[in-house]
Amino acid sequence: NMSAAMRRGRLVDGRGEVVEIGEDRMRELRAAQVALGTLGVMLEVELAVSPKYYIAEEISYRPWQEIEESWDELIANHRHFSFFWCPADHSVDLYQLPAPPDQPMRNHCYVKIYDEVEVTEPDGLVSDDVGNRTDRAYRVYPGGYDEPFHEMEYMVPAEHGLEALNKIRRLMLDEFPDQLYPIEVRWTAADDAYLSPNYKRDTMVISHSGAPGTDYWPFLRAVDQRLQQYQARPHWGKIHFMTRDRLEQLFPEFDTFVAVR
């Protein structure tokens, strides 16, 4: 998680005072790494950096059964594995995923695998015959969308990921067949920021979307209810249904954060 790389911050607090927070004040730093603006206005941050690296991309289209049967292997054997599960053939169009026209996508997944590789070329994009790329990581990882959608993204403990995802799949197929956006699934490592959704646990991320202008609230609330049993934590920049009571239960250091604030 990007915020885990923060090593120092400089901010203006609610009293108008400039505050310096570094690794000599770990309690404050763990609060500032994910603060949602509530500690004040951040003026400056210092981030730990990593050596540059290259990754090779592999895009594939796989039936859900294959993903489920290879679950542990796919997670363990790749630097980055993520996918979009599609409830209908045209679900890919809602996220502008480039599936071939003759590729069935109902109960199939658009799969992204990225692995680190050694590259002899000094720079520049390299694509194979089917469009997979090999390039510097920061150029391959990012993606974007032209069409708007409203998204809720919850993080569940990684060990419960498959069980939680299957609950949401059944929810969509059985109770909300009109909700056709793909479910995006990815993984994030544990970190130490008090309000991070990945605090002290590796997580599997489940993203759900609704079409702007439609009544998707019953669906998202049902997803929220199904995932509560897994102590799901929210992506702070997206839709969620958190309350003060729920936050106190979900984040072990919530009171510490409040005390720092």
Side-chain angles (χ1 to χ4, degrees), residues 40-261:
V41 179
M42 197 70 72
L43 302 177
E44 183 177 300
V45 294
E46 181 178 308
L47 303 178
V49 296
S50 302
K52 68 181 181 183
Y53 63 95
Y54 290 80
I55 51 176
E57 175 184 64
E58 178 191 339
I59 303 296
S60 59
Y61 307 89
R62 309 188 191 191
W64 167 248
Q65 183 178 357
E66 180 182 329
I67 297 296
E68 191 171 31
E69 291 173 350
S70 307
W71 188 264
D72 293 333
E73 175 188 349
L74 288 165
I75 296 170
N77 292 349
H78 300 286
R79 181 186 180 102
H80 176 97
F81 159 63
S82 66
F83 62 90
F84 294 83
W85 173 79
C86 297
D89 284 335
H90 62 282
S91 295
V92 288
D93 299 330
L94 299 174
Y95 274 158
Q96 302 168 285
L97 301 174
D102 58 347
Q103 170 64 51
M105 290 304 297
R106 176 177 169 77
N107 205 28
H108 278 59
C109 300
Y110 174 89
V111 180
K112 300 190 295 182
I113 290 175
Y114 300 140
D115 285 311
E116 188 169 349
V117 292
E118 295 292 331
V119 173
T120 56
E121 295 293 328
D123 204 359
L125 180 68
V126 179
S127 296
D128 61 18
D129 293 339
V130 295
N132 290 319
R133 300 168 293 171
T134 298
D135 202 348
R136 292 192 183 186
Y138 73 86
R139 285 199 285 257
V140 177
Y141 279 133
Y145 306 96
D146 296 326
E147 296 298 323
F149 53 89
H150 295 170
E151 189 172 39
M152 183 174 81
E153 188 167 279
Y154 278 11
M155 284 72 158
V156 301
E159 62 269 23
H160 299 307
L162 180 56
E163 178 185 333
L165 178 58
N166 270 325
K167 279 194 184 321
I168 304 307
R169 288 180 57 254
R170 294 314 325 169
L171 177 72
M172 294 181 70
L173 294 172
D174 298 341
E175 300 182 38
F176 292 92
D178 58 325
Q179 298 298 321
L180 300 177
Y181 273 89
I183 298 177
E184 183 178 9
V185 178
R186 57 187 176 85
W187 281 260
T188 308
D191 60 48
D192 296 316
Y194 297 147
L195 292 191
S196 169
N198 315 297
Y199 179 73
K200 298 296 185 183
R201 71 185 194 193
D202 294 339
T203 64
M204 193 190 84
V205 184
I206 308 179
S207 299
H208 326 77
S209 292
T214 67
D215 183 15
Y216 49 73
W217 293 106
F219 166 61
L220 293 187
R221 287 191 180 279
V223 172
D224 173 83
Q225 291 169 0
R226 294 294 197 284
L227 295 181
Q228 283 189 41
Q229 72 180 92
Y230 302 106
Q231 299 293 296
R233 297 171 181 162
H235 184 306
W236 290 118
K238 302 182 182 183
I239 295 170
H240 62 78
F241 300 100
M242 294 297 117
T243 64
R244 172 67 177 254
D245 290 343
R246 289 179 67 177
L247 297 181
E248 290 175 341
Q249 296 172 8
L250 290 171
F251 294 91
E253 297 293 341
F254 182 82
D255 289 341
T256 305
F257 178 87
V258 173
V260 170
R261 180 175 180 272

